[in-house]
Short mmCIF file of all heavy atoms in Angstrom, two decimals:
data_model
loop_
_atom_site.label_atom_id
_atom_site.label_comp_id
_atom_site.label_asym_id
_atom_site.label_seq_id
_atom_site.Cartn_x
_atom_site.Cartn_y
_atom_site.Cartn_z
N ASP A 131 -2.21 21.94 4.33
CA ASP A 131 -2.81 21.91 2.99
C ASP A 131 -1.76 22.19 1.91
O ASP A 131 -1.79 21.60 0.83
CB ASP A 131 -3.94 22.94 2.86
CG ASP A 131 -5.21 22.50 3.57
OD1 ASP A 131 -5.26 21.34 4.05
OD2 ASP A 131 -6.15 23.32 3.65
N TYR A 132 -0.85 23.09 2.21
CA TYR A 132 0.21 23.43 1.26
C TYR A 132 1.05 22.20 0.94
O TYR A 132 1.36 21.90 -0.20
CB TYR A 132 1.08 24.55 1.81
CG TYR A 132 2.30 24.86 0.95
CD1 TYR A 132 2.15 25.39 -0.33
CD2 TYR A 132 3.59 24.61 1.42
CE1 TYR A 132 3.25 25.66 -1.13
CE2 TYR A 132 4.70 24.88 0.63
CZ TYR A 132 4.53 25.41 -0.64
OH TYR A 132 5.62 25.67 -1.43
N MET A 133 1.42 21.46 1.98
CA MET A 133 2.26 20.28 1.78
C MET A 133 1.56 19.22 0.95
O MET A 133 2.17 18.55 0.11
CB MET A 133 2.69 19.70 3.13
CG MET A 133 3.70 20.56 3.87
SD MET A 133 5.33 20.58 3.07
CE MET A 133 5.99 19.02 3.67
N GLN A 134 0.27 19.06 1.19
CA GLN A 134 -0.47 18.09 0.38
C GLN A 134 -0.57 18.57 -1.08
O GLN A 134 -0.36 17.78 -2.01
CB GLN A 134 -1.88 17.89 0.94
CG GLN A 134 -2.70 16.94 0.07
CD GLN A 134 -4.06 16.62 0.66
OE1 GLN A 134 -4.66 17.42 1.37
NE2 GLN A 134 -4.55 15.42 0.36
N ALA A 135 -0.87 19.84 -1.25
CA ALA A 135 -0.96 20.40 -2.60
C ALA A 135 0.38 20.25 -3.32
O ALA A 135 0.44 19.96 -4.52
CB ALA A 135 -1.37 21.87 -2.54
N TYR A 136 1.44 20.44 -2.57
CA TYR A 136 2.77 20.28 -3.14
C TYR A 136 2.98 18.85 -3.65
O TYR A 136 3.54 18.63 -4.74
CB TYR A 136 3.86 20.65 -2.12
CG TYR A 136 5.23 20.58 -2.75
CD1 TYR A 136 5.81 21.69 -3.35
CD2 TYR A 136 5.92 19.37 -2.80
CE1 TYR A 136 7.02 21.62 -3.99
CE2 TYR A 136 7.15 19.26 -3.45
CZ TYR A 136 7.69 20.39 -4.02
OH TYR A 136 8.90 20.29 -4.67
N GLY A 137 2.54 17.89 -2.88
CA GLY A 137 2.66 16.49 -3.30
C GLY A 137 1.90 16.22 -4.59
O GLY A 137 2.41 15.57 -5.51
N ARG A 138 0.69 16.74 -4.67
CA ARG A 138 -0.09 16.58 -5.91
C ARG A 138 0.61 17.27 -7.06
O ARG A 138 0.68 16.74 -8.17
CB ARG A 138 -1.48 17.17 -5.72
CG ARG A 138 -2.34 16.38 -4.75
CD ARG A 138 -3.70 17.03 -4.62
NE ARG A 138 -4.58 16.25 -3.77
CZ ARG A 138 -5.58 16.76 -3.05
NH1 ARG A 138 -5.81 18.06 -3.07
NH2 ARG A 138 -6.33 15.97 -2.31
N GLY A 139 1.10 18.47 -6.79
CA GLY A 139 1.82 19.23 -7.82
C GLY A 139 3.07 18.50 -8.27
O GLY A 139 3.47 18.57 -9.43
N GLY A 140 3.68 17.78 -7.35
CA GLY A 140 4.88 17.02 -7.67
C GLY A 140 4.59 15.93 -8.68
O GLY A 140 5.32 15.74 -9.66
N ARG A 142 2.23 15.91 -10.73
CA ARG A 142 1.93 16.58 -12.00
C ARG A 142 3.22 17.06 -12.69
O ARG A 142 3.34 16.96 -13.92
CB ARG A 142 1.01 17.76 -11.69
CG ARG A 142 0.46 18.42 -12.92
CD ARG A 142 -0.75 19.29 -12.58
NE ARG A 142 -1.28 19.86 -13.81
CZ ARG A 142 -1.26 21.15 -14.10
NH1 ARG A 142 -0.77 22.02 -13.23
NH2 ARG A 142 -1.73 21.57 -15.25
N SER A 143 4.16 17.55 -11.92
CA SER A 143 5.40 18.10 -12.50
C SER A 143 6.17 17.03 -13.28
O SER A 143 6.92 17.33 -14.21
CB SER A 143 6.30 18.69 -11.42
OG SER A 143 6.94 17.67 -10.67
N TYR A 146 5.62 16.91 -16.90
CA TYR A 146 6.20 18.01 -17.68
C TYR A 146 7.72 17.99 -17.65
O TYR A 146 8.36 18.92 -18.12
CB TYR A 146 5.68 19.36 -17.16
CG TYR A 146 4.19 19.50 -17.33
CD1 TYR A 146 3.32 19.10 -16.33
CD2 TYR A 146 3.66 20.00 -18.52
CE1 TYR A 146 1.94 19.21 -16.49
CE2 TYR A 146 2.29 20.12 -18.69
CZ TYR A 146 1.44 19.72 -17.67
OH TYR A 146 0.08 19.83 -17.84
N LEU A 152 10.02 22.44 -9.49
CA LEU A 152 9.19 22.34 -8.29
C LEU A 152 10.05 22.09 -7.05
O LEU A 152 9.75 22.58 -5.96
CB LEU A 152 8.16 21.22 -8.46
CG LEU A 152 6.98 21.34 -7.51
CD1 LEU A 152 6.17 22.59 -7.80
CD2 LEU A 152 6.11 20.11 -7.56
N LEU A 155 10.99 25.23 -5.44
CA LEU A 155 9.92 25.80 -4.61
C LEU A 155 9.97 25.19 -3.22
O LEU A 155 9.86 25.89 -2.21
CB LEU A 155 8.56 25.55 -5.28
CG LEU A 155 7.33 25.99 -4.47
CD1 LEU A 155 7.33 27.49 -4.21
CD2 LEU A 155 6.04 25.56 -5.18
N LEU A 201 6.94 33.35 -7.01
CA LEU A 201 6.89 31.96 -7.45
C LEU A 201 7.79 31.65 -8.65
O LEU A 201 8.60 30.73 -8.62
CB LEU A 201 5.43 31.59 -7.75
CG LEU A 201 5.15 30.17 -8.21
CD1 LEU A 201 5.58 29.15 -7.17
CD2 LEU A 201 3.66 30.01 -8.50
N LEU A 227 0.99 31.92 0.58
CA LEU A 227 1.76 30.89 -0.12
C LEU A 227 0.83 29.84 -0.70
O LEU A 227 0.96 29.44 -1.87
CB LEU A 227 2.75 30.25 0.85
CG LEU A 227 3.57 29.07 0.33
CD1 LEU A 227 4.51 29.51 -0.81
CD2 LEU A 227 4.39 28.43 1.46
N LEU A 228 -0.12 29.40 0.10
CA LEU A 228 -1.05 28.36 -0.36
C LEU A 228 -1.90 28.87 -1.52
O LEU A 228 -2.05 28.20 -2.54
CB LEU A 228 -1.95 27.92 0.80
CG LEU A 228 -3.03 26.88 0.43
CD1 LEU A 228 -2.39 25.57 -0.02
CD2 LEU A 228 -3.98 26.63 1.60
N THR A 230 -1.39 31.40 -3.66
CA THR A 230 -0.64 31.64 -4.90
C THR A 230 -0.31 30.34 -5.61
O THR A 230 -0.44 30.24 -6.83
CB THR A 230 0.71 32.33 -4.60
OG1 THR A 230 0.47 33.42 -3.71
CG2 THR A 230 1.38 32.82 -5.86
N THR A 231 0.14 29.34 -4.86
CA THR A 231 0.56 28.10 -5.51
C THR A 231 -0.63 27.28 -6.00
O THR A 231 -0.56 26.62 -7.02
CB THR A 231 1.43 27.24 -4.56
OG1 THR A 231 0.75 27.11 -3.30
CG2 THR A 231 2.78 27.85 -4.34
N LEU A 232 -1.75 27.36 -5.25
CA LEU A 232 -2.94 26.63 -5.68
C LEU A 232 -3.57 27.25 -6.91
O LEU A 232 -4.02 26.56 -7.81
CB LEU A 232 -3.98 26.59 -4.56
CG LEU A 232 -3.95 25.46 -3.55
CD1 LEU A 232 -5.14 25.57 -2.59
CD2 LEU A 232 -3.96 24.09 -4.23
N GLU A 233 -3.60 28.57 -6.92
CA GLU A 233 -4.32 29.26 -8.00
C GLU A 233 -3.52 29.35 -9.30
O GLU A 233 -4.08 29.62 -10.35
CB GLU A 233 -4.72 30.68 -7.56
CG GLU A 233 -5.90 30.65 -6.61
CD GLU A 233 -6.23 32.01 -6.05
OE1 GLU A 233 -5.52 32.98 -6.39
OE2 GLU A 233 -7.20 32.09 -5.26
N THR A 234 -2.22 29.11 -9.19
CA THR A 234 -1.41 29.18 -10.41
C THR A 234 -1.37 27.81 -11.07
O THR A 234 -1.09 26.80 -10.42
CB THR A 234 0.04 29.60 -10.06
OG1 THR A 234 -0.02 30.82 -9.31
CG2 THR A 234 0.86 29.80 -11.32
N ASP A 235 -1.67 27.79 -12.35
CA ASP A 235 -1.47 26.57 -13.12
C ASP A 235 0.01 26.52 -13.49
O ASP A 235 0.51 27.38 -14.21
CB ASP A 235 -2.36 26.59 -14.38
CG ASP A 235 -2.18 25.33 -15.22
OD1 ASP A 235 -1.37 24.45 -14.84
OD2 ASP A 235 -2.86 25.22 -16.26
N PHE A 236 0.71 25.53 -12.98
CA PHE A 236 2.17 25.48 -13.18
C PHE A 236 2.55 25.03 -14.60
O PHE A 236 3.68 25.23 -15.01
CB PHE A 236 2.83 24.54 -12.17
CG PHE A 236 2.97 25.11 -10.78
CD1 PHE A 236 2.09 26.07 -10.30
CD2 PHE A 236 4.00 24.67 -9.94
CE1 PHE A 236 2.22 26.59 -9.01
CE2 PHE A 236 4.15 25.19 -8.65
CZ PHE A 236 3.26 26.14 -8.18
N ALA A 237 1.63 24.40 -15.32
CA ALA A 237 2.00 23.85 -16.63
C ALA A 237 2.56 24.91 -17.59
O ALA A 237 3.67 24.73 -18.12
CB ALA A 237 0.83 23.10 -17.25
N TYR A 240 6.00 26.09 -16.30
CA TYR A 240 7.10 25.17 -16.59
C TYR A 240 7.60 25.38 -18.01
O TYR A 240 8.81 25.40 -18.27
CB TYR A 240 6.63 23.71 -16.45
CG TYR A 240 6.31 23.26 -15.03
CD1 TYR A 240 5.29 22.34 -14.79
CD2 TYR A 240 7.06 23.71 -13.94
CE1 TYR A 240 5.00 21.89 -13.51
CE2 TYR A 240 6.76 23.27 -12.65
CZ TYR A 240 5.73 22.36 -12.45
OH TYR A 240 5.45 21.93 -11.18
N1 LIG B 301 -0.92 24.56 -8.76
C1 LIG B 301 0.17 23.67 -8.96
C2 LIG B 301 0.12 23.03 -10.38
O1 LIG B 301 -0.64 23.45 -11.21
C3 LIG B 301 0.21 22.58 -7.91
C4 LIG B 301 0.90 23.02 -6.66
C5 LIG B 301 0.18 23.50 -5.56
C6 LIG B 301 2.28 22.94 -6.54
C7 LIG B 301 0.82 23.90 -4.40
C8 LIG B 301 2.92 23.32 -5.38
C9 LIG B 301 2.19 23.80 -4.31
O2 LIG B 301 0.84 22.11 -10.67
#
Side-chain angles (χ1 to χ4, degrees):
D131 285 354
Y132 174 66
M133 289 291 279
Q134 177 175 30
Y136 183 91
R138 291 180 176 152
R142 188 163 183 246
S143 75
Y146 296 91
L152 199 65
L155 175 62
L201 181 60
L227 175 64
L228 177 64
T230 313
T231 50
L232 271 184
E233 284 174 359
T234 306
D235 180 359
F236 283 28
Y240 291 146

